[in-house]
Amino acid sequence: MEMNVSNNEEQVVAKKKGGLNPAVIIPILFVVGVAIFLFVLGSPSNFHEDARTAGHLSVATASLDAKELHPESFMGIIYMGGPIVPILITFMITVIVFSFERFFVLKKASGSGDLDSFVVNVRNLLNQNKVDEALEECDRQEGSVGNVVKEGLTTYKALANDTSLNKEQKMVALNKAIEEATTLEMPMLEKNMMILSTLGTVSTLIALLGTVIGMIKAFFALGSGGGTPDAAALSIGISEALINTALGIGTSAIAIILYNFFTSKIDGLTYKIDEIAMSIQQSFAEFH
């Protein structure tokens, strides 16, 4: 029994180690986000000819007055959003990268072939007490659902030949085996989902910070100049505020939509596991 528990713990650790490691990936994505801000959005080609004379903007902008920059493209406009923009770009890239990761992980977890057909086939076979044929279906299906069902069916066969336990004890053991198999699979399905959930909220807050900074600059320009507002500085402050707001809301919306999408997929897989688990228990109660 102790050996069994130890093996289960090792399998849980192995499951949790799967997928992308946020501690490694997120710093890399931040560097990519800063590079995009400096060398793509800050490229001289995105600004008016007068600003290009200062050299490559992505390197020399720090020495330029913001009023000397006149964006000629949408990327140049985004660049004018200020220092919060690379953070929001990092958030957007992070959402995209981990969404692709979750998509492929959940696709693999669904296994090969049609999952609904697999559930129907296994249930039909269990109704006829054809456990070996159901195990063959699991081998063909693979994936998280197939793994859980296979573990349940393997325990089913072992308990069917066990004469040391009564029927009630066998049902408890079977239910426990299915629950443990499900527990082993769930960490891999839910890993990194918290990142999407967090960015759905944090993106808006960081964008709000950029908005506040931009409005502070705008009001400062409005109050300076000896009674005559600096129109250029005022417009730059307002545009910075709106750019950050737009980027933050866009990132947050995408993160929330994808989080809910993947959550529904995980719930669907869990429901199918529970559906087959119930069929396994009913079959065992009927035939044994």
Side-chain angles (χ1 to χ4, degrees):
M1 181 66 70
E2 292 180 0
M3 181 71 70
N4 224 4
V5 173
S6 177
N7 289 338
N8 287 343
E9 289 177 351
E10 289 177 3
Q11 291 178 42
V12 171
V13 172
K15 290 286 181 185
K16 290 184 177 180
K17 287 183 178 179
L20 296 178
N21 185 353
V24 175
I25 298 299
I26 291 178
I28 294 174
L29 295 180
F30 176 71
V31 173
V32 173
V34 172
I36 291 174
F37 176 74
L38 293 177
F39 299 106
V40 178
L41 301 180
S43 171
S45 61
N46 296 326
F47 295 86
H48 192 270
E49 186 68 30
D50 294 341
R52 298 180 196 178
T53 58
H56 198 284
L57 290 176
S58 61
V59 176
T61 301
S63 63
L64 295 175
D65 190 330
K67 290 181 288 186
E68 297 178 18
L69 299 178
H70 304 287
E72 285 189 332
S73 68
F74 185 69
M75 289 193 292
I77 293 173
I78 297 176
Y79 182 82
M80 298 298 290
I84 301 297
V85 172
I87 299 176
L88 294 174
I89 291 174
T90 301
F91 287 171
M92 176 64 79
I93 298 173
T94 302
V95 168
I96 293 172
V97 169
F98 283 99
S99 294
F100 273 107
E101 185 245 9
R102 287 295 89 197
F103 174 79
F104 288 114
V105 166
L106 293 179
K107 183 176 178 62
K108 182 179 179 181
S110 299
S112 57
D114 183 67
L115 190 56
D116 291 328
S117 299
F118 168 72
V119 173
V120 172
N121 291 338
V122 171
R123 294 188 66 181
N124 289 335
L125 290 170
L126 287 174
N127 289 336
Q128 303 171 50
N129 197 30
K130 296 181 178 179
V131 180
D132 291 330
E133 288 81 351
L135 281 169
E136 292 175 2
E137 285 286 336
C138 294
D139 291 334
R140 285 192 290 268
Q141 178 68 19
E142 300 178 336
S144 294
V145 178
N147 291 340
V148 173
V149 176
K150 184 176 181 178
E151 181 63 28
L153 293 176
T154 302
T155 305
Y156 181 113
K157 288 187 64 177
L159 291 173
N161 299 321
D162 191 340
T163 57
S164 63
L165 301 175
N166 59 38
K167 186 172 183 177
E168 184 178 345
Q169 291 173 323
K170 289 181 179 180
M171 290 296 296
V172 171
L174 178 61
N175 185 52
K176 183 178 179 182
I178 295 173
E179 288 180 354
E180 288 179 350
T182 304
T183 302
L184 292 176
E185 295 294 334
M186 290 308 295
M188 188 59 193
L189 299 180
E190 296 176 347
K191 184 179 179 182
N192 296 332
M193 288 294 293
M194 186 58 67
I195 293 176
L196 296 179
S197 175
T198 302
L199 291 181
T201 303
V202 173
S203 296
T204 305
L205 296 178
I206 297 298
L208 182 60
L209 175 62
T211 301
V212 171
I213 293 174
M215 295 307 296
I216 290 173
K217 291 181 179 179
F219 281 112
F220 180 80
L222 189 63
S224 64
T228 304
D230 189 337
L234 178 61
S235 64
I236 288 172
I238 294 175
S239 65
E240 179 177 334
L242 295 178
I243 289 167
N244 283 285
T245 301
L247 285 175
I249 291 175
T251 302
S252 178
I254 293 172
I256 291 172
I257 291 171
L258 290 172
Y259 173 80
N260 289 330
F261 172 76
F262 291 128
T263 298
S264 67
K265 290 289 186 182
I266 294 172
D267 290 343
L269 291 175
T270 305
Y271 173 77
K272 293 186 186 305
I273 290 174
D274 292 340
E275 186 178 357
I276 299 182
M278 185 174 295
S279 296
I280 293 174
Q281 293 169 355
Q282 290 175 345
S283 174
F284 189 87
E286 180 180 352
F287 296 103
H288 300 283

